[in-house]
């Protein structure tokens, strides 16, 4: 049995721990309250002593993580769609934290991820008593293969509106692979929305954040999952338009700051290193 079959992805765990660290280390009000990912990961009592959990060094990084999650989830609720697709779902916990959303609007959630980590997550959900309700579809895929077909087999209806989210994924794909995903989603039913994060080049990032981003780049390369794509806003907007989206919008860090961090004086605010694109066909 491979390691992928018995463990969560390291990046997914780190993101889940940052969401929990926001609750445990940052003062209220919290942008997102999510400790379920921490329970799933079960990192051990010393998890806050990890170098990548340093409260001061990761303040803006974890702010970016919770801001992007909150933005996507707000969009799902605001749009009132009945299908929500999470590409590269990792330890996403929307389904566990927001079951009322499924009940109120017959929402079906599709978590798309690699087979090994997803099988591990399924076991953890069952062990913790959450289970996998019928409206939550865990879709194991090979992202190099026909993952779109696997999504349809799991019950996704391409002629009904959906919100499709891809956070923390674009940097691992080539521009051609990103464009292929954009083209697929651009062809969905009217009323569908695609929301994705993208990394700006290191030279665009705040000076105090560059060492952390550069360390992340080096770490990803050493782990065999190098960052392949950085985008400036104009570049990813152009890619989205060329892929078939008619309406595209860049969500800059300043908008996230105003929306979720207004009035804070503790330095908890997102970095411009990662921003958002919202697109509709």
């Amino acid at each position: 049995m491979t390691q992928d079959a018995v463990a969560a992805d390291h990046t997914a765990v780190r993101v889940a721990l940052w969401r929990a660290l926001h609750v445990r280390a940052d003062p209220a009000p919290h942008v997102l309250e999510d400790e379920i990912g921490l329970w799933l990961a079960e990192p051990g009592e010393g998890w806050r002593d990890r170098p990548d959990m340093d409260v001061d060094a990761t303040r803006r990084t974890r702010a970016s993580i919770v801001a992007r999650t909150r933005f996507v989830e707000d969009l799902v609720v605001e749009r009132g769609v009945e299908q929500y697709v999470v590409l590269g779902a990792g330890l996403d916990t929307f389904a566990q934290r927001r079951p009322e959303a499924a009940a109120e609007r017959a929402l079906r959630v599709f978590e798309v991820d690699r087979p090994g980590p997803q099988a591990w997550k399924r076991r953890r959900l069952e062990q913790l008593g959450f289970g996998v309700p019928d409206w939550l579809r865990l879709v194991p895929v090979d992202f190099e293969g026909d993952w779109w077909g696997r999504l349809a087999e799991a019950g996704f209806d391409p002629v009904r509106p959906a919100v499709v989210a891809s956070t923390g994924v674009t940097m691992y794909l080539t521009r051609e692979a990103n464009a292929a995903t954009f083209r697929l989603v651009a062809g969905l039913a009217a009323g569908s929305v695609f929301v994705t994060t993208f990394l700006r080049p290191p030279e665009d990032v705040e000076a105090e954040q560059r060492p952390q981003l550069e360390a992340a780049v080096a770490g990803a390369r050493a782990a065999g999952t190098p960052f392949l794509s950085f985008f400036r806003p104009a570049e990813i907007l152009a890619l989205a338009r060329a892929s078939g989206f008619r309406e595209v919008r860049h969500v800059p860090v300043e908008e996230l700051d105003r929306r979720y961090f207004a009035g804070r004086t503790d330095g908890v605010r997102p970095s411009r290193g990662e921003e958002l694109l919202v697109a509709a066909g």
Side-chain angles (χ1 to χ4, degrees):
M1 183 177 294
T2 66
Q3 183 177 359
D4 272 355
V6 297
D9 178 83
H10 294 303
T11 300
V13 170
R14 185 164 56 246
V15 169
L17 298 187
W18 278 331
R19 292 197 301 260
L21 191 61
H22 175 58
V23 176
R24 299 200 175 188
D26 298 329
H30 297 121
V31 176
L32 185 81
E33 296 199 3
D34 180 13
E35 295 185 279
I36 295 176
L38 171 64
W39 303 343
L40 289 169
E42 199 176 28
E45 293 184 3
W47 68 274
R48 288 189 58 172
D49 297 326
R50 293 171 39 158
D52 57 357
M53 292 297 127
D54 182 278
V55 171
D56 295 326
T58 65
R59 182 172 285 114
R60 299 194 74 165
T61 299
R62 65 178 179 272
S64 293
I65 293 297
V66 296
R68 79 187 192 188
T69 304
R70 174 71 181 274
F71 182 89
V72 171
E73 294 183 1
D74 285 353
L75 187 64
V76 171
V77 173
E78 291 164 6
R79 299 292 297 193
V81 296
E82 296 180 356
Q83 300 185 109
Y84 173 33
V85 180
V86 190
L87 300 180
L91 296 184
D92 187 89
T93 60
F94 173 84
Q96 290 74 51
R97 289 180 290 105
R98 306 290 299 274
E100 78 285 352
E104 290 171 1
R105 65 193 67 212
L107 178 67
R108 184 170 288 180
V109 180
F110 298 85
E111 292 192 10
V112 184
D113 211 341
R114 293 181 295 121
Q118 193 170 81
W120 174 91
K121 183 179 182 180
R122 179 185 291 274
R123 287 196 297 272
R124 290 295 296 144
L125 288 172
E126 292 170 349
Q127 289 167 359
L128 291 174
F130 290 106
V132 182
D134 183 64
W135 53 267
L136 172 59
R137 303 295 171 88
L138 302 184
V139 189
V141 303
D142 175 0
F143 282 105
E144 300 297 324
D146 182 23
W147 63 267
W148 193 253
R150 295 300 304 275
L151 182 59
E153 291 171 3
F156 178 75
D157 187 349
V159 302
R160 294 169 56 205
V163 169
V164 179
S166 174
T167 60
V169 175
T170 57
M171 71 282 274
Y172 295 107
L173 305 177
T174 63
R175 294 203 175 203
E176 293 75 17
N178 277 307
T181 297
F182 284 21
R183 287 193 295 270
L184 285 172
V185 181
L188 290 179
S192 296
V193 176
F194 179 52
V195 55
T196 186
T197 58
F198 61 95
L199 281 188
R200 295 179 66 141
E203 58 268 26
D204 284 9
V205 179
E206 300 89 349
E208 70 274 14
Q209 290 297 110
R210 286 175 199 158
Q212 188 170 356
L213 177 55
E214 290 166 354
V217 170
R221 186 184 305 114
T225 53
F227 291 175
L228 301 176
S229 295
F230 294 89
F231 294 94
R232 289 194 166 93
E235 293 171 328
I236 200 163
L237 289 171
L239 181 65
R241 292 190 185 98
S243 300
F245 288 108
R246 292 190 297 272
E247 301 175 16
V248 296
R249 184 168 76 89
H250 165 223
V251 182
V253 67
E254 290 81 7
E255 180 175 336
L256 296 174
D257 199 355
R258 289 192 300 270
R259 186 165 181 168
Y260 300 121
F261 301 89
R264 297 193 78 109
T265 59
D266 53 11
V268 178
R269 53 182 15 92
S271 166
R272 79 167 67 93
E274 182 181 65
E275 295 186 319
L276 288 142
L277 166 78
V278 179

